Structure formats: structure tokens, C-alpha cells
Amino acid sequence: MRNNRNSRFASLWRAGRVSAALLAAPAMVFTLQGCTDLEESPTSAITPNNFYKNADEVIGGVASVYASLRGTMWGYYNLSQVSSDETVVPTRGSDWFDNGRWLDLYRHTWTPTSGSGLEDISGVWNDLFGGVARSNVLLSALETTEVPNKAVIVAEMRTLRAFYYYLLMDFFGGVPIVTTTEVKPREQASRAEVFAFIEKELTESRAALPASWPAESYGRVTQGAVDAILANMYVNAQVFTGTVTPTGLTRGTAKWNEAITAADRILNSGRYSLAADWKTNFSPTNENSPENIFTIRMTNSIPGIGMSLQMRGLHYNSFSLSPWNGFATIATTYNAFDNADSRKGVFLVGPQVNLQTGQPITDRAGNPLIFTPEIADVTQAKENEGARIYKYPIDPAAPNGDSHGNDYVYFRLAEIMMIKAEAQNELGQTAAAIGIVNQIRARAFSPAKPLATNLSQAQLREAIFNERLFEFIGEAKRRQDMIRAGTYTNARLFKQASSPYRILMPIPQNQIETNPLLKQNPGY
């Protein structure tokens, strides 16, 4: 019987399916936080009292918590990218204005009630607390339900809940910590308290998780995923445990040694290695990458639950599924890349071809389509302006635009190496840190172009900040990096300097109105 259940999970997992009954979950999930005015019909609610009473139902619940990760690929990803210097979404004629949302995000002019605040920022809150609530419902049910490998499933759910809280902490700072299914308003924990909660959940869950899963369960969290989240938290600890005021950030306690320890558990595990070709980490078959540690599993077999990153930046005529011609990169970011760096190949510039046939393509007026790095005016950009990030290539088997099979990579070995190098440099171990950075650069340049071995600590700090741009562009890392480096609110092309408090997003207005225990973030 146990083998049948495992086989059932593997079948669900490969397909990315959740049971039809679970489709009622999202509305219920939000009420569990006591933060919105949504109501749930008692007859349709999935609760620990009326569901998750056998192994198959628990399997469906596990799949639903993982499925919530896909929501982060819109709100969290878009806000991380567009509020940094990596991505801008110009208004192109009647396309992509959307009540000013996208330029609000780029210029840091959002408010709790602006288009981006009501739509995008509020959407992130709901997506992430939805994942928290699904985790809580299943964890509550497991207190009275026996299933095979229960300890592992509990550890998975605590880890995923901690990851959703990690993203909430990153964007909003202090938020309510919810670990039960009781429906009531929740008090707001401080950002440092949320950090401590996440750290505890991850640390306590790690031992019960496997170091790896069989191929049919690829994508489920592992000890390496826990260590990757922890390493990232520790390298950002001064920000995540600090205090944001209207005038700036008072940094908290550094955790450089802890970052190295978490990174070393991955580096010394023998389970991961740098891919010989960095591009394979993002291909439609990137489940085979030796470098990827924590991914969101996508599928091209079911419309609507695959990747859509390709659609957001490619031109309408780039391939047969008619992409959306939105996201682009500013010229200063494109020009920061060394022409000899193979990673500059993530950008599409110059004459364009159909990505399926290789034949030249035209713009809507019938002229040859030539992408230019420059954008003259982001409020009325031409359809060919702006370099396009093309890190995740199209999946030829995708049936529609949001069904590409490339798995989204949250953490990979190159980042763990860069985290260790940054921590070493901050501890004065600059020579060792240079060696790590040069390992990553070695696969990007031919002939090799290593960093000089006599860089000072300050010089290497800047070099690491730049190297992270080159290595992780398009991976939703830049916002965190810029905040950590103190450059996030600086002026840049098409953006004036913004107020220091904008390193946090505002608490959504509807949450403030519904839950009297919530307080708006400083400055808003």
C-alpha cells in the first residue's frame, strides 16, 4: 500500500496536478489570516476537520502548497525585477500603461492605493499568505492524521511556510506570524521576529528532510534548499534584522559566519556542481542541471501552470505564441556587461529572428525588427526599444504562452558560492573570496578574465555587487542586492532618487482596513 501511495504522489507530482476539491482553497486561505474581508462558505471550505483524512487527500494538500509557489512567478518576481535597475516596462503606445502601474514600480512612486499598490503589491501579499495558509491547514490536519513519511511531509510544509515568510519579510518587513487555522485578526511581528521565526522553522525542519529525492519527486525541498534559504537570509541579515524609518535603514547584526556555515553545508555535500554551460540551468530541460538547488517545477503538459517569463519581454513576432513585448533593460545596465562575457548573451539586441525558425522578423509596420539598447522615452517607447532579457529560452513544446516547461530557479550553486565569497570578504578573508569569484567567472570568459588578486576589501565588495548583476540578471536577485549595497533608492536612468523607506513595500490598504492590529510601514 505504501508503494501505491508513493506512486500516486509521483504521478501527481510529475503532472503538477492538484485535486479538483482543492480549487476551493484560495478563498479560504486568505480568511485564515484574519487580514481580508473575504468570506468563505462553510459548505465549500477545506479545513482540517473535513479534509486531509487519508493519504491521497494529504498528497493533494502537499501538491497544493507547492503549487502556490507558482504565484510568486508573477507578483514577487515582477516587483523584484521592475523596482531594480534590471528591468523597466515602458509604455508602448496603448500597451503596458495599465494605469501607470509599471512605471510606478520602476520609479518607486507606488502608494498603498496606487495602481501598483492595489494590484501588484496587494497581490504579492495575498499570494504569499495563501501559501502560508495552505501550509497551516495541512500541518493542522497532520496532527491527527497518520500517513507514510509523515515526519518528512511535516518538515516540507514547515520549510515551504518558512519560505513564504522569507518572501513576505523581504518585501513587507514585519508581518503577522500565523501558525494555526484559527480565523482572527493577527498582531504584527517585527521584521527581526519574523527572521527569527523563519530561522527556527528551517533549522528544526532540516534534519527530517532528505538530502535528495528520487527523480520522480524532483522539485521537492531538500536539506540543500533549507541551507540555501538560510545562507541568503544570513548574507542579508543586517537588512532583515534592521529597522526601517522614514529617513533610512538602521542595520541590524551581521551574520557573516553563519552565512559561510550554511553555504559550506551545500558546498561540501558533494551533491551540486557548477554546470559546464551556465545556459543549461535555465533550459526547458533544466531539471537535469547539477547546479540548481531549489526550483519551482513547471510543466508544458497542462496549459496555465508553466512559465511565462519568455512572454513578458519578447516582441509580438518573436515566435508563434505572440509574446507581450513589455519588459526591457535600461541601456546603462546592458552596457555594464563586458563584451567578452558570455553572460551578455542573455540580452537580445540588434536584428531579430523568429526564435523557432531562425528567419528574420519584422515589427508591426513591416520593417525589419532591430532591438536597440537605448530607450528614448519610457512613457512613449517604440516597439523595438530596449534590450530584452532572454535567460529562460522558449519551450518548443509549450501549448500556450504560460505553459513553458522551464523550471524557475530560486537558488543555485553559483549564488551559494557568491554568498560565501561576500561573507568571507566582509570578514577580511579577501584573497579566498577572490578565488571563489574567479571560479564563477572562469566559465563566462574564454580566454579567462579573472579578477586581480590584489583587490582591497572595498574594491572586492564593489566587484561582487557587479558580478552578482552579471551572473544573476533576470533571476529576481537585484532588488535585494541593491538594498544590501545601499543603492536601491538612488537615481538612475528614468528614475529620480526615492525616499529611503521604499526598501519596504507598503502593507496593502485593504489589509490595514480589515485588520486593526496591522500598522502601515514607515513613510506610507
Side-chain angles (χ1 to χ4, degrees):
M1 187 67 174
R2 178 171 179 173
N3 288 337
N4 289 339
R5 287 169 179 165
N6 288 340
S7 175
R8 167 71 172 151
F9 189 95
S11 176
L12 270 170
W13 193 253
R14 283 193 298 272
R17 296 181 186 273
V18 296
S19 67
L22 285 169
L23 296 178
M28 175 209 61
V29 205
F30 302 147
T31 55
L32 292 176
Q33 308 317 313
C35 296
T36 74
D37 57 1
L38 293 175
E39 295 182 357
E40 175 63 24
S41 164
T43 60
S44 64
I46 294 176
T47 73
N49 294 325
N50 67 11
F51 211 66
Y52 303 138
K53 294 302 184 182
N54 57 56
D56 278 353
E57 290 180 352
V58 169
I59 287 167
V62 171
S64 79
V65 178
Y66 277 98
S68 291
L69 290 171
R70 294 193 186 101
T72 69
M73 286 306 304
W74 183 257
Y76 180 85
Y77 179 88
N78 287 350
L79 268 66
S80 296
Q81 284 291 126
V82 180
S83 68
S84 78
D85 63 356
E86 282 191 1
T87 300
V88 65
V89 186
T91 301
R92 303 180 192 272
S94 61
D95 294 342
W96 290 98
F97 176 67
D98 294 340
N99 199 29
R101 286 165 49 193
W102 302 104
L103 292 180
D104 255 358
L105 293 174
Y106 181 79
R107 293 167 169 166
H108 295 191
T109 53
W110 60 75
T111 72
T113 57
S114 67
S116 56
L118 293 172
E119 178 74 19
D120 303 295
I121 297 171
S122 182
V124 172
W125 178 282
N126 286 338
D127 287 342
L128 298 178
F129 267 118
V132 169
R134 288 187 176 198
S135 305
N136 285 342
V137 172
L138 186 53
L139 285 168
S140 179
L142 286 170
E143 293 176 4
T144 57
T145 302
E146 293 302 321
V147 294
N149 301 316
K150 176 177 173 177
V152 177
I153 294 174
V154 169
E156 282 185 89
M157 295 303 98
R158 291 179 70 186
T159 298
L160 289 173
R161 182 176 63 185
F163 181 68
Y164 290 123
Y165 266 112
Y166 153 81
L167 300 181
L168 283 162
M169 173 186 66
D170 178 24
F171 266 26
F172 300 105
V175 297
I177 296 176
V178 186
T179 59
T180 72
T181 60
E182 184 180 4
V183 180
K184 66 177 184 179
R186 308 284 182 165
E187 292 186 1
Q188 191 169 1
S190 70
R191 198 180 199 185
E193 289 170 337
V194 178
F195 182 99
F197 168 76
I198 299 168
E199 182 181 32
K200 180 175 182 291
E201 289 291 292
L202 293 174
T203 302
E204 291 180 357
S205 300
R206 184 183 184 279
L209 291 171
S212 63
W213 288 93
E216 63 268 18
S217 294
Y218 158 79
R220 299 174 72 177
V221 292
T222 60
Q223 292 180 355
V226 167
D227 291 332
I229 300 168
L230 285 170
N232 180 274
M233 285 175 57
Y234 292 140
V235 83
N236 287 291
Q238 288 179 302
V239 173
F240 288 162
T241 64
T243 302
V244 178
T245 69
T247 58
L249 169 69
T250 301
R251 292 181 179 255
T253 303
K255 292 185 177 289
W256 304 119
N257 282 309
E258 291 88 340
I260 291 172
T261 298
D264 277 343
R265 286 198 296 268
I266 294 172
L267 295 170
N268 297 332
S269 70
R271 297 194 174 275
Y272 308 98
S273 60
L274 288 179
D277 182 351
W278 58 265
K279 293 186 288 294
T280 61
N281 296 319
F282 312 101
S283 75
T285 56
N286 61 342
E287 67 271 15
N288 299 314
S289 165
E291 184 170 336
N292 295 341
I293 299 170
F294 181 32
T295 63
I296 302 177
R297 188 160 186 177
M298 303 292 178
T299 180
N300 60 18
S301 63
I302 304 173
I305 58 173
M307 176 178 279
S308 69
L309 290 186
Q310 298 88 337
M311 304 296 288
R312 299 174 205 178
L314 294 176
H315 187 268
Y316 318 107
N317 297 330
S318 290
F319 69 109
S320 61
L321 296 181
S322 300
W324 308 329
N325 201 38
F327 290 21
T329 297
I330 59 174
T332 47
T333 297
Y334 170 77
N335 291 328
F337 282 69
D338 190 322
N339 287 334
D341 189 338
S342 67
R343 295 168 297 189
K344 196 170 187 176
V346 302
F347 295 109
L348 297 181
V349 293
Q352 295 302 298
V353 298
N354 183 295
L355 295 170
Q356 293 166 314
T357 67
Q359 295 302 305
I361 57 177
T362 61
D363 61 20
R364 283 174 159 177
N367 302 308
L369 180 63
I370 302 173
F371 284 154
T372 65
E374 296 77 21
I375 302 171
D377 183 349
V378 290
T379 67
Q380 47 184 358
K382 297 177 181 178
E383 62 184 89
N384 68 313
E385 289 185 326
R388 314 303 168 90
I389 298 174
Y390 187 55
K391 198 161 202 175
Y392 286 90
I394 64 169
D395 181 354
N400 59 27
D402 56 0
S403 298
H404 294 265
N406 320 56
D407 297 325
Y408 180 74
V409 184
Y410 258 112
F411 294 107
R412 55 189 177 95
L413 189 65
E415 183 174 11
I416 302 308
M417 295 171 67
M418 290 297 293
I419 286 173
K420 180 174 181 178
E422 183 171 344
Q424 284 182 321
N425 186 53
E426 295 302 325
L427 292 172
Q429 303 166 27
T430 300
I434 292 172
I436 292 176
V437 177
N438 282 336
Q439 288 182 54
I440 296 170
R441 287 177 63 85
R443 70 174 174 181
F445 289 90
S446 182
K449 197 170 185 178
L451 298 178
T453 57
N454 61 347
L455 295 180
S456 68
Q457 183 186 51
Q459 288 172 325
L460 183 58
R461 183 181 296 122
E462 181 178 4
I464 287 174
F465 176 66
N466 293 333
E467 194 67 29
R468 286 186 61 94
L469 169 66
F470 307 145
E471 181 67 24
F472 305 120
I473 189 161
E475 298 182 48
K477 303 293 181 180
R478 186 65 169 174
R479 175 182 167 273
Q480 277 189 4
D481 291 350
M482 296 181 80
I483 291 172
R484 191 167 69 253
T487 64
Y488 180 66
T489 58
N490 290 357
R492 57 177 179 265
L493 191 61
F494 308 125
K495 174 193 174 295
Q496 297 178 351
S498 50
S499 300
Y501 65 82
R502 290 187 181 273
I503 63 174
L504 288 180
M505 299 292 179
I507 305 295
Q509 187 61 33
N510 64 328
Q511 307 295 339
I512 296 285
E513 293 170 355
T514 305
N515 182 356
L517 301 180
L518 289 175
K519 295 180 180 179
Q520 187 54 272
N521 280 330
Y524 295 105

